[in-house]
Amino acid sequence: GQQVMQIPQYQHVQEGEDFTTYCNSSTTLSNIQWYKQRPGGHPVFLIQLVKSGEVKKQKRLTFQFGEAKKNSSLHITATQTTDVGTYFCATRDFGNEKLTFGTGTRLTIIP
Amino acid sequence: DTEVTQTPKHLVMGMTNKKSLKCEQHMGHRAMYWYKQKAKKPPELMFVYSYEKLSINESVPSRFSPECPNSSLLNLHLHALQPEDSALYLCASSTPDRSSGNTIYFGEGSWLTVV
């Protein structure tokens, strides 16, 4: 099956600093999805990217899909305490209901 | 109503007990999933049901038995579990679609402790 790695595994930032997590695959991905899981919570869908080089923004969050469709990034500008949680990228096989998660990046904010 | 409801939220069971986790959605989704998540790890797929038929079993031990009584309900029957089965069990649903990807909605999960 597909393996999707994320870096870094952990990130501690001062409130107000920016944060980026990267998602990398050895194979071409048909799509990439991003989820956020708050401590003690469940994964919540953030966004889906399907086109090569696609960039989408949600307020302070910017999502990018690489030109080769093998990597993706999530960038948060001016982090807030509400951004705390683990961010997972995930990919859905074409023609398959299976959603495979990346290893995740845990973000903690120092007030 | 974009909600997946799971019960119970917390369950403690002994290794000889039989219990069930339940999941319900009323979004008309025809694909439903069970995921297992250990602490500080990503969710791992266990089972997928598509149109009430089991379509994926990720080599899950038989002490976990899924059941899909109808398009809105998904159960996970538990029997003779081991302490290492303690985890967060997540139910999810989506529209089964052969196109490239769509949203999967997760329930809040059932925290299972096996003693």
Side-chain angles (χ1 to χ4, degrees):
Chain A
Q2 291 182 337
Q3 286 199 333
V4 182
M5 303 300 295
Q6 273 183 261
I7 54 171
Q9 189 174 1
Y10 301 96
Q11 185 80 60
H12 311 282
V13 300
Q14 288 276 351
E15 186 175 8
E17 291 182 342
D18 293 355
F19 159 77
T20 304
T21 173
Y22 301 90
C23 185
N24 297 293
S25 171
S26 58
T27 59
T28 302
L29 304 172
S30 60
N31 64 86
I32 198 85
Q33 298 183 354
W34 285 92
Y35 290 79
K36 177 184 178 181
Q37 186 172 21
R38 293 181 182 272
H42 61 285
V44 175
F45 173 82
L46 295 176
I47 209 158
Q48 175 179 281
L49 306 170
V50 297
K51 297 178 182 176
S52 169
E54 189 171 11
V55 177
K56 289 188 177 180
K57 293 189 176 184
Q58 290 179 350
K59 297 183 180 179
R60 295 179 294 106
L61 277 61
T62 302
F63 305 84
Q64 187 165 7
F65 202 6
E67 293 289 341
K69 300 181 76 173
K70 289 185 176 182
N71 56 73
S72 180
S73 65
L74 159 58
H75 179 82
I76 302 178
T77 304
T79 55
Q80 300 175 359
T81 54
T82 53
D83 296 325
V84 165
T86 300
Y87 292 85
F88 291 102
C89 62
T91 187
R92 193 107 175 249
D93 286 347
F94 183 80
N96 187 327
E97 295 89 349
K98 184 173 179 179
L99 182 72
T100 302
F101 282 86
T103 48
T105 297
R106 176 180 286 191
L107 173 63
T108 56
I109 306 290
I110 305 165
Chain B
D1 182 12
T2 55
E3 192 173 271
V4 177
T5 304
Q6 288 188 243
T7 56
K9 290 195 180 340
H10 299 272
L11 176 64
V12 179
M13 61 184 291
M15 290 187 283
T16 58
N17 290 160
K18 284 185 180 181
K19 297 286 184 183
S20 297
L21 305 181
K22 297 185 182 300
C23 177
E24 187 170 5
Q25 57 87 15
H26 294 288
M27 295 179 277
H29 291 168
R30 303 308 295 271
M32 296 186 75
Y33 312 74
W34 281 114
Y35 279 83
K36 173 183 177 180
Q37 187 176 26
K38 301 282 277 185
K40 300 182 181 180
K41 296 291 186 183
E44 295 179 3
L45 182 66
M46 299 174 72
F47 302 103
V48 179
Y49 273 83
S50 180
Y51 293 94
E52 294 113 71
K53 292 191 189 307
L54 184 64
S55 60
I56 298 177
N57 176 342
E58 291 287 281
S59 302
V60 179
S62 60
R63 58 185 184 269
F64 295 91
S65 175
E67 179 197 18
C68 190
N70 59 54
S71 60
S72 299
L73 296 174
L74 184 67
N75 299 322
L76 185 63
H77 302 299
L78 314 170
H79 174 55
L81 295 193
Q82 304 297 310
E84 58 265 28
D85 297 321
S86 299
L88 176 65
Y89 288 84
L90 293 160
C91 176
S93 72
S94 76
T95 54
D97 196 323
R98 295 301 179 185
S99 65
S100 186
N102 48 35
T103 304
I104 293 183
Y105 296 90
F106 284 85
E108 294 186 352
S110 293
W111 293 90
L112 173 67
T113 302
V114 182
V115 297

